[in-house]
Amino acid sequence: MSHDIRIVTEAELRRVVTLDLAIVDEIEAAFRALAGGTVVMPPILSMALEEAHGEVDVKTAYIPGLDGFAIKVSPGFFDNPKLGLTSLNGLMILFSAKTGLVECVFLDNGYLTDLRTAAAGAVAARWLAPETVTTAGVIGTGVQARLQIEAARLVRPFERVLVWGRDLEKAAACASDIAEATGVEAELCTDRETLVARSQLVVTTTPSRTPLIEPGWLHPELHITAMGSDQEGKCELAPGCLSAADLYVADRVSQCAALGELRAALDGRIAPEAPVELGQIIAGAPGRRSPADTTICDLTGTGAQDTAIASFVAGRLGDTGTVVRT
Amino acid sequence: MSHDIRIVTEAELRRVVTLDLAIVDEIEAAFRALAGGTVVMPPILSMALEEAHGEVDVKTAYIPGLDGFAIKVSPGFFDNPKLGLTSLNGLMILFSAKTGLVECVFLDNGYLTDLRTAAAGAVAARWLAPETVTTAGVIGTGVQARLQIEAARLVRPFERVLVWGRDLEKAAACASDIAEATGVEAELCTDRETLVARSQLVVTTTPSRTPLIEPGWLHPELHITAMGSDQEGKCELAPGCLSAADLYVADRVSQCAALGELRAALDGRIAPEAPVELGQIIAGAPGRRSPADTTICDLTGTGAQDTAIASFVAGRLGDTGTVVRT
């Protein structure tokens, strides 16, 4: 039985879908579903290719009510920049949840992952950040530094952005890009402690393996989203931050315990007891209790987000892409 | 950085590659590599979609020395036949093992899986079956019943085939197809015990959840390859068969213990001690010690086979397929 499969390239996807509130809402719905207990989300398949300084992760989830489920493959090959290639690439495949047939192949080179990751940051900010954010700080200078700020601004219309990066030139370029994309004042901040002190919302977006934020820097009226850690060994927050905050929230506790900020806190036996998941807060669990609270959200990235964004994009495709009959 | 990706459909793949000794050799090399300890092969990612009576498995492996690695997605949706669709489908993606970039997308609907699975049966027969096989028996009547016999005949030129199936009509059709494809005499056998008694090589190819072969049926000068079980709960051999045989061989012990014939034997505490892997035998571990031995090989299917067949096919493509730039 032959059937049609739609192949869509990164350039085509960029024409069809950009970061907006509709995506944020879609990703929020995925988190809410995840908290409902009916989503099937197996552990991440992960393979290291040490010789090539590479790794590949595969994520998936089935969300009842959606017509399809995605399988997302994310290779990261960290010597690629020497070859003029980006480190992160990959594709997403959308399958029918009724027949298992391949419906779409999104040759997105990680673009949809970028969008759904930034959207998760906006969901975290929407539910956890203080109502009033005048200054947002971002640690890191890559694609996610830019996108996380763009996404957060959809839900908290701050007027100033501070950017910290190890490389001052990259941090200045990132600030300039953010100013251009969002129209807000954005500037380099050479000291992380100052950045945290001046911000009500901080997003960490690095692959760091040593903490970048110390517990003593936490202050009232602050939310931190740590989205960089997605592997054993990575860590952006000193483990003490998690219990120093009034509330620690995981995207998925089992993943954060293995790959996120929670891991080091568990190792050090200073982890918050019974951490709550972002989806549970969306579904009604207690979140921020007062404007003065300090909150932390730990994002490792879930297959549910991949299925949500792939389904969303499929609905917007029209006749974009190339149809192959197989 | 845009790059080219080759999209190849099932029909195109069928024109480029069919079951032959070259594939058997390639799969044998993958098993040998797997025994060498340098292959990286993570556990299978598996997701059940109970509402849809479906499941999806993802397999992968990195084999040092090959330029690429495959990620294979196999959905099985068992209500599909009611819709006129096949239950098993899926695709394989070949990535560069140096950069992680997608090189080929094989929209094969499971065709390459069929080939690499049959080829593994031939590897098992080559290394484990008695030198002289005059009669081969096959239990099951699906695609693999046909392909396993075709593949085994590449390494053991038997002259007679016996086919057993629950559905007599399907078994007769399968025997007729085998006779046509291989030129050997092939006939229906309505009794499994008789089939085993008359054969020197038996291949079981069913999704059975109850044993189809009893320990008392084992006899000298016999090799059995059980390739149907690939999930918890499936089982083609009564667990006592494994210790009743002179030699039990797994494709991958960790997988067979969870998904293969070994699982029930372990549950019943009658498993063979320290089972050996097929790759270890290829690499020199003791296998069949005399023509009179009774041997069993348990095949659950490995990501190493997927990487091997995808790499092999890529080398044969020429300008087959459609190139998409992304």
Side-chain angles (χ1 to χ4, degrees):
Chain A
M1 254 298 302
S2 68
H3 72 287
D4 289 345
I5 295 174
R6 191 169 288 274
I7 313 286
V8 194
T9 65
E10 179 186 347
E12 289 164 340
L13 288 165
R14 284 183 184 273
R15 285 198 290 274
V16 169
V17 61
T18 50
L19 189 58
D20 60 17
L21 266 179
I23 293 182
V24 175
D25 291 341
E26 209 68 21
I27 297 302
E28 181 171 302
F31 276 109
R32 186 193 296 267
L34 198 54
T38 57
V39 168
V40 187
M41 191 167 80
I44 300 164
L45 182 161
S46 192
M47 179 166 75
L49 291 81
E50 286 175 16
E51 288 168 57
H53 197 198
E55 63 184 34
V56 57
D57 281 353
V58 183
K59 295 183 180 181
T60 188
Y62 166 61
I63 302 180
L66 294 187
D67 292 337
F69 65 91
I71 291 194
K72 195 265 294 282
V73 184
S74 298
F77 280 64
F78 303 103
D79 292 340
N80 278 4
K82 294 178 199 163
L83 306 170
L85 302 169
T86 55
S87 295
L88 303 177
N89 286 286
L91 83 174
M92 274 195 204
I93 309 143
L94 183 68
F95 296 83
S96 161
K98 294 203 170 50
T99 65
L101 290 178
V102 178
E103 298 196 327
C104 299
V105 178
F106 297 124
L107 300 170
D108 71 328
N109 298 322
Y111 175 61
L112 298 181
T113 299
D114 283 341
L115 292 185
R116 66 72 149 151
T117 303
V123 173
R126 182 188 264 168
W127 287 90
L128 294 169
E131 273 306 314
T132 305
V133 175
T134 54
T135 300
V138 62
I139 290 184
T141 60
V143 172
Q144 277 299 316
R146 292 157 169 85
L147 284 178
Q148 287 286 338
I149 290 295
E150 262 190 71
R153 198 152 182 285
L154 296 170
V155 300
R156 290 291 185 277
F158 42 79
E159 285 308 323
R160 189 176 311 108
V161 175
L162 303 174
V163 181
W164 179 91
R166 277 183 308 177
D167 180 322
L168 289 185
E169 209 168 308
K170 285 185 183 165
C174 182
S176 152
D177 287 350
I178 286 172
E180 192 175 333
T182 62
V184 305
E185 194 184 306
E187 63 190 65
L188 181 67
C189 179
T190 56
D191 179 63
R192 293 194 302 275
E193 185 172 357
T194 307
L195 179 145
V196 174
R198 291 195 189 155
S199 302
Q200 296 81 49
L201 169 64
V202 172
V203 189
T204 61
T205 67
T206 74
S208 186
R209 291 173 177 268
T210 51
L212 301 173
I213 293 183
E214 296 300 326
W217 303 355
L218 302 190
H219 59 78
E221 293 187 52
L222 172 66
H223 171 73
I224 299 175
T225 293
M227 59 66 56
S229 296
D230 57 355
Q231 267 183 36
E232 212 185 309
K234 289 189 187 170
C235 145
E236 300 188 280
L237 310 183
C241 291
L242 275 59
S243 41
D246 296 295
L247 179 68
Y248 164 83
V249 178
D251 58 356
R252 188 65 160 178
V253 170
S254 55
Q255 286 191 191
C256 291
L259 314 169
E261 301 300 328
L262 187 55
R263 184 195 49 79
L266 286 166
D267 287 353
R269 298 174 182 275
I270 49 171
E273 281 177 39
V276 69
E277 293 187 352
L278 183 54
Q280 293 174 304
I281 288 174
I282 297 166
R288 167 175 290 275
R289 287 166 197 265
S290 93
D293 275 2
T294 308
T295 54
I296 290 176
C297 188
D298 190 356
L299 299 179
T300 54
T302 67
Q305 290 163 254
D306 296 317
T307 284
I309 189 105
S311 302
F312 175 80
V313 169
R316 282 207 180 173
L317 282 180
D319 57 6
T320 302
T322 306
V323 172
V324 172
R325 168 152 291 208
T326 194
Chain B
M1 255 298 303
S2 68
H3 71 288
D4 288 346
I5 296 174
R6 191 169 287 274
I7 313 286
V8 195
T9 65
E10 179 186 348
E12 289 165 340
L13 288 165
R14 285 184 183 273
R15 284 199 290 274
V16 170
V17 61
T18 50
L19 190 57
D20 60 17
L21 266 180
I23 293 182
V24 175
D25 291 341
E26 208 68 23
I27 297 301
E28 180 170 304
F31 276 109
R32 186 192 295 267
L34 198 53
T38 57
V39 169
V40 187
M41 192 167 79
I44 300 164
L45 182 161
S46 193
M47 179 167 76
L49 290 79
E50 286 175 17
E51 289 169 53
H53 197 197
E55 63 186 31
V56 57
D57 281 352
V58 183
K59 295 183 180 180
T60 187
Y62 166 62
I63 302 180
L66 294 187
D67 292 336
F69 66 91
I71 291 194
K72 195 266 294 283
V73 184
S74 298
F77 280 65
F78 303 102
D79 292 340
N80 278 3
K82 294 179 199 162
L83 306 171
L85 301 169
T86 55
S87 295
L88 302 177
N89 287 287
L91 82 174
M92 273 194 205
I93 309 142
L94 183 67
F95 295 83
S96 161
K98 292 201 173 51
T99 64
L101 290 177
V102 178
E103 297 195 327
C104 299
V105 179
F106 298 124
L107 300 169
D108 71 328
N109 299 321
Y111 175 62
L112 297 182
T113 299
D114 283 341
L115 292 185
R116 66 74 148 150
T117 303
V123 173
R126 182 188 264 168
W127 287 90
L128 294 168
E131 274 305 313
T132 306
V133 175
T134 55
T135 300
V138 62
I139 290 185
T141 60
V143 172
Q144 277 298 316
R146 292 157 170 85
L147 284 178
Q148 287 287 339
I149 289 296
E150 262 190 72
R153 198 155 182 284
L154 295 171
V155 300
R156 290 292 185 275
F158 42 79
E159 286 307 322
R160 191 177 310 108
V161 175
L162 303 174
V163 181
W164 179 90
R166 278 183 308 177
D167 179 322
L168 289 184
E169 210 167 305
K170 285 185 183 165
C174 182
S176 152
D177 287 351
I178 287 172
E180 193 175 332
T182 61
V184 305
E185 193 184 307
E187 63 190 63
L188 183 65
C189 179
T190 56
D191 179 62
R192 293 193 303 274
E193 185 170 359
T194 307
L195 178 145
V196 174
R198 291 195 188 156
S199 302
Q200 295 81 50
L201 170 64
V202 172
V203 189
T204 61
T205 67
T206 75
S208 185
R209 290 173 177 268
T210 52
L212 301 172
I213 293 184
E214 297 299 327
W217 303 356
L218 302 191
H219 59 78
E221 293 187 53
L222 173 65
H223 171 72
I224 300 176
T225 293
M227 58 66 57
S229 296
D230 57 355
Q231 269 181 36
E232 210 185 310
K234 290 188 186 171
C235 145
E236 300 188 279
L237 310 183
C241 291
L242 276 58
S243 43
D246 297 295
L247 180 68
Y248 164 83
V249 178
D251 57 356
R252 188 66 160 177
V253 171
S254 55
Q255 285 191 190
C256 291
L259 313 170
E261 301 299 331
L262 187 54
R263 185 194 49 79
L266 286 167
D267 287 353
R269 296 173 183 277
I270 50 171
E273 280 177 38
V276 69
E277 293 187 352
L278 183 54
Q280 293 174 304
I281 288 174
I282 296 166
R288 166 174 290 274
R289 287 165 197 268
S290 94
D293 275 1
T294 308
T295 54
I296 290 177
C297 188
D298 190 357
L299 299 179
T300 53
T302 67
Q305 289 163 255
D306 296 317
T307 284
I309 189 104
S311 301
F312 175 80
V313 169
R316 282 208 181 172
L317 281 180
D319 56 6
T320 302
T322 307
V323 172
V324 172
R325 169 152 289 209
T326 195

